[in-house]
Amino acid sequence: MITKVFGYSLATCVVSGVFGLTLIAHADSKNGATTEGSPIFGVTLPEGYRNWQFVSIAHEEGDKPDIRVILGNDIAMKAFREGTLPFPDGAIIARLAYKYETSPQNNAVFGRVQSYIAGEPTNVQIEVKDSKRYANTGGWGYGQFENGKPNPSEQIINGCFACHTKLPPATDLIFTKYSQ
Amino acid sequence: MITKVFGYSLATCVVSGVFGLTLIAHADSKNGATTEGSPIFGVTLPEGYRNWQFVSIAHEEGDKPDIRVILGNDIAMKAFREGTLPFPDGAIIARLAYKYETSPQNNAVFGRVQSYIAGEPTNVQIEVKDSKRYANTGGWGYGQFENGKPNPSEQIINGCFACHTKLPPATDLIFTKYSQ
C-alpha cells in the first residue's frame, strides 16, 4: 500500500517539495475516504472562510464563465490593506466562484437584460502562504474544493502555480488588488 | 432659513414619512457642511461596513457598468442564511460598486481578454430595515454615498425605493440572494 502510494506521488513530490503531505493526501484518496488536503500541497479548506472579509470581486469569461469573490483571513486582510508584499506567512486567500448568470428577476425590474449575478457555486480555491513549506512554489500552497471536498486532480492543482507564476514577481503571485 | 428648508422638503417628506430627518439633512447641506445622513431617510454610512460579511456579487451592465459586492451586518447575515423574510429591524445591507474594467495584467497571463475586475469605487448604497421609521417605503431606508459622503440628490434617493418596490413582495424588496 505504502509502496504504491509512494510510486504514484513521487513525481509531484519532487516538484512541490512537500513530500510528506502528498503521501498523506493520496493515502486517503486510495482508501476512498474524503481527503482533507489538496494533492501536492496538502491545503485544507479553512474553517469559517465564508465569514472572512472581502478583498475584491471579478468576472472571468472563457470556457466556463464565472463571477467570483476573493476573501482573506485576518493576516491577508492586514497585508492587503497595508500593501505588505510579499504576504506574510499565515496569510490565506479564498476565491469563491459561482456560475455567471443573468437574473430574470432583476432584468424585469430594469426593463432590459443588464443584471448578471452569482448562480450555483462552482468551486473554492484556497491559497496559503508558507514561505518554507511551499518554498518551491513561490511560498504559496494551493487547493481547490468542490462541495467542501478537495479536488483530487494533480493536473488542476499544478495548474494553479503554473498560472500564478506568470504574474509579475512584484505581485507576490497574487492576481487580486484590494478594493477600497 | 427654516422656512426655506421646510418648503423645499415638504413634498418628499410626505412621501417618506420621516419628516424631521429630511429637515436635518437639508439644514446641513444648506450650510455647506457635510451631511451625515441621506436625504429623505437620514441613513448614515455604518461604521465598519467594509468589514462586514459577504452576501453575494453581481455585474450590472447599462449606462454605467459596474461590478458590485453586497455585504451585510450580523442581523442581515443571519436573516440571509436562515431565509428569514421579511428581514428583521436592524438589518443593514451594503452594496459596494466599482467601475467594471478589464484587467491587462490578468489577460496577459491568460493569453486572451477574459478577466474583468473592480476598478475605482463608484458609490456605496446602504439599506436599513426599520419597519416603523420607514413604514411608507416597505420598511427600508436608503442612502447612497460617494467618498464616504451621502449623495444629496433626493431624485437619486427616491429612485432607490421606486426601483426596489418593483420586486415581488416575497423578496422583502431585496434584489440579492445569499451565495453559499
Side-chain angles (χ1 to χ4, degrees):
Chain A
M1 176 67 186
I2 290 176
T3 308
K4 282 177 66 180
V5 173
F6 187 92
Y8 181 59
S9 301
L10 187 59
T12 53
C13 292
V14 171
V15 173
S16 71
V18 284
F19 181 75
L21 288 164
T22 310
L23 270 179
I24 292 164
H26 282 280
D28 285 348
S29 63
K30 293 275 176 182
N31 290 331
T34 301
T35 54
E36 290 299 320
S38 62
I40 302 171
F41 297 100
V43 165
T44 56
L45 197 59
E47 192 174 333
Y49 74 93
R50 179 59 183 76
N51 300 343
W52 288 355
Q53 291 180 18
F54 155 71
V55 181
S56 195
I57 36 184
H59 159 52
E60 293 294 332
E61 290 185 350
D63 303 333
K64 294 180 181 176
D66 70 45
I67 190 164
R68 47 183 56 197
V69 67
I70 292 86
L71 308 177
N73 72 351
D74 289 346
I75 297 172
M77 293 307 295
K78 186 170 188 290
F80 270 119
R81 288 176 172 138
E82 296 177 357
T84 305
L85 288 169
F87 283 81
D89 282 3
I92 309 180
I93 299 169
R95 190 279 280 138
L96 289 64
Y98 303 88
K99 286 182 182 172
Y100 183 67
E101 296 179 350
T102 193
S103 167
Q105 169 198 273
N106 298 2
N107 294 334
V109 170
F110 300 132
R112 59 180 174 182
V113 177
Q114 74 162 55
S115 185
Y116 296 86
I117 62 171
E120 288 297 305
T122 58
N123 61 61
V124 174
Q125 290 184 341
I126 301 288
E127 290 176 271
V128 176
K129 188 64 179 278
D130 187 329
S131 55
K132 289 181 182 168
R133 182 173 174 179
Y134 304 124
N136 291 346
T137 50
W140 291 100
Y142 297 91
Q144 177 172 309
F145 302 83
E146 286 104 20
N147 297 315
K149 296 191 173 65
N151 188 306
S153 165
E154 294 194 354
Q155 186 179 4
I156 286 176
I157 297 302
N158 278 326
C160 296
F161 176 63
C163 191
H164 280 254
T165 196
K166 294 179 185 173
L167 284 165
T171 64
D172 194 24
L173 311 189
I174 295 302
F175 281 96
T176 306
K177 306 286 184 293
Y178 180 79
S179 291
Q180 294 296 330
Chain B
M1 175 67 184
I2 291 176
T3 307
K4 281 176 69 181
V5 173
F6 187 91
Y8 181 58
S9 301
L10 188 59
T12 53
C13 291
V14 172
V15 172
S16 69
V18 285
F19 182 75
L21 288 164
T22 309
L23 271 179
I24 292 165
H26 282 281
D28 284 346
S29 63
K30 294 274 177 183
N31 291 332
T34 301
T35 55
E36 289 298 320
S38 63
I40 304 172
F41 297 99
V43 165
T44 56
L45 197 59
E47 192 173 333
Y49 73 92
R50 179 61 184 75
N51 301 342
W52 287 354
Q53 291 180 17
F54 155 69
V55 181
S56 194
I57 37 184
H59 159 53
E60 293 295 332
E61 290 187 349
D63 304 332
K64 293 180 182 176
D66 70 46
I67 190 164
R68 47 183 57 196
V69 68
I70 292 85
L71 308 178
N73 71 352
D74 289 346
I75 296 172
M77 293 308 293
K78 186 170 187 291
F80 270 118
R81 287 176 173 137
E82 296 178 359
T84 304
L85 288 169
F87 284 81
D89 283 1
I92 309 180
I93 300 170
R95 192 279 279 136
L96 290 64
Y98 303 88
K99 286 182 182 171
Y100 184 67
E101 296 179 351
T102 193
S103 166
Q105 168 198 274
N106 298 2
N107 294 333
V109 169
F110 299 131
R112 60 180 174 182
V113 176
Q114 76 163 52
S115 185
Y116 296 85
I117 62 169
E120 289 297 305
T122 59
N123 61 61
V124 175
Q125 290 184 340
I126 301 289
E127 288 176 272
V128 176
K129 187 65 178 278
D130 187 329
S131 54
K132 290 181 183 170
R133 182 173 173 178
Y134 304 125
N136 291 346
T137 50
W140 292 101
Y142 297 91
Q144 177 171 309
F145 302 83
E146 286 104 20
N147 297 313
K149 296 191 174 63
N151 188 306
S153 165
E154 293 193 356
Q155 186 178 4
I156 286 176
I157 297 303
N158 277 325
C160 297
F161 176 63
C163 192
H164 280 254
T165 195
K166 294 178 184 172
L167 284 166
T171 64
D172 194 25
L173 311 189
I174 296 300
F175 281 96
T176 306
K177 306 285 184 294
Y178 180 80
S179 290
Q180 294 297 328

